[in-house]
Amino acid sequence: MKLRFQDFVLDSDTRQVLRGQEEIHLSTKAFELLCVLIERRPAVIDKSELARRVWPATFVGDANLNVLIGEVRRALGDSAHRPAFIRTVHGIGYAFCGEADELAPLSTSHLTPATRFWLVWNDRAFTLLEGDNLIGRDPACTIWLDEAGVSRRHARIRVESRQRLMTLEDLNSTNGTLVGDTPVTAKRPLIDGDVIHIGAAALTFRAWFPETPRETERIRRTPNR
């Protein structure tokens, strides 16, 4: 299981939670608890079932579970009072309440593994993942740009491979985002070759599909409605 939720990626195979390039530390039991909650999202899981899944064949009290929930919340920067990820259902249990996107479909039969989307900046190439890709000066962003005029969370590119739709959105940045000379004021579809201006950085969006091995396929823009 590999999923993205907001700035985080959870990979149950490698047993990692990543925020950008940074690995978020969780104890073994806290990681297992997070996996169970995400796997069953958005259902509420009662405390007894969570205890059985995390501590099989071992009796533990509610206090042990509360400690793990607290550890996961601290690691994700979540709040019990205004939860973005883990919701408390008093007297019953807990539920994962955030939006999560499966990353695994990129390698399944409806997509060829060679399908690629990326940004080129100077001599660097940034691979774009399925779902949301944050661009900004915060090192936790998917695309980290330590460049003048770039906000901490400047813009977002969303990849929806099934629809072959890639969209760019400005995140209320200080200096704005442009495609060519046009400011981005709403979600804007991208095509191969678009030049995105973010602060002092000019990034070229590239898209390649295996059906056209000799050249990069041009992606049609969806008409604005």
Side-chain angles (χ1 to χ4, degrees):
M1 177 175 65
K2 189 173 184 179
L3 307 99
R4 178 189 295 278
F5 53 100
Q6 287 193 18
D7 301 345
F8 301 93
V9 171
L10 180 144
D11 191 331
S12 60
D13 292 332
T14 63
R15 298 188 65 83
Q16 288 179 301
V17 177
L18 302 173
R19 186 179 183 189
Q21 302 301 315
E22 176 191 5
E23 182 171 357
I24 304 300
H25 175 74
L26 284 173
S27 67
T28 300
K29 294 299 184 183
F31 182 85
E32 291 172 1
L33 174 63
L34 179 59
C35 286
V36 173
L37 290 169
I38 289 183
E39 179 186 325
R40 294 280 300 279
R41 69 188 189 282
V44 178
I45 309 176
D46 66 55
K47 294 180 180 181
S48 59
E49 181 179 351
L50 284 171
R52 287 196 301 271
R53 293 286 299 272
V54 177
W55 292 277
T58 303
F59 175 79
V60 295
D62 288 352
N64 300 79
L65 184 58
N66 293 340
V67 169
L68 282 194
I69 289 290
E71 180 184 344
V72 173
R73 281 177 170 153
R74 285 192 299 274
L76 301 181
D78 203 12
S79 165
H81 301 293
R82 300 183 64 183
F85 303 119
I86 298 177
R87 178 170 64 93
T88 301
V89 182
H90 294 289
I92 301 177
Y94 301 93
F96 187 87
C97 58
E99 293 291 330
D101 296 315
E102 286 274 2
L103 298 183
L106 281 174
S107 61
T108 59
S109 59
H110 74 274
L111 288 175
T112 302
T115 300
R116 293 199 305 153
F117 308 99
W118 70 102
L119 294 174
V120 177
W121 178 42
N122 296 332
D123 59 347
R124 300 177 63 185
F126 300 93
T127 300
L128 297 171
L129 303 175
E130 189 76 6
D132 290 337
N133 297 263
L134 291 175
I135 306 171
R137 196 164 40 83
D138 188 333
C141 288
T142 315
I143 294 93
W144 177 36
L145 299 179
D146 189 14
E147 190 76 1
V150 179
S151 298
R152 291 186 65 81
R153 291 163 56 93
H154 195 109
R156 173 168 48 221
I157 292 177
R158 184 169 181 81
V159 173
E160 299 176 84
S161 296
R162 290 187 182 183
Q163 293 78 26
R164 293 192 175 186
L165 180 63
M166 282 57 67
T167 53
L168 172 67
E169 179 183 10
D170 183 77
L171 299 178
N172 297 316
S173 63
T174 302
N175 297 306
T177 303
L178 294 86
V179 174
D181 297 324
T182 305
V184 175
T185 57
K187 288 185 179 180
R188 176 195 174 113
L190 293 170
I191 63 172
D192 175 65
D194 274 340
V195 177
I196 303 168
H197 295 277
I198 295 179
L203 304 98
T204 303
F205 173 75
R206 303 307 308 268
W208 187 87
F209 291 91
E211 299 94 318
T212 55
R214 295 186 180 182
E215 62 179 355
T216 300
E217 181 181 45
R218 305 294 295 185
I219 306 170
R220 295 179 181 177
R221 282 197 179 97
T222 302
N224 293 326
R225 297 182 179 178

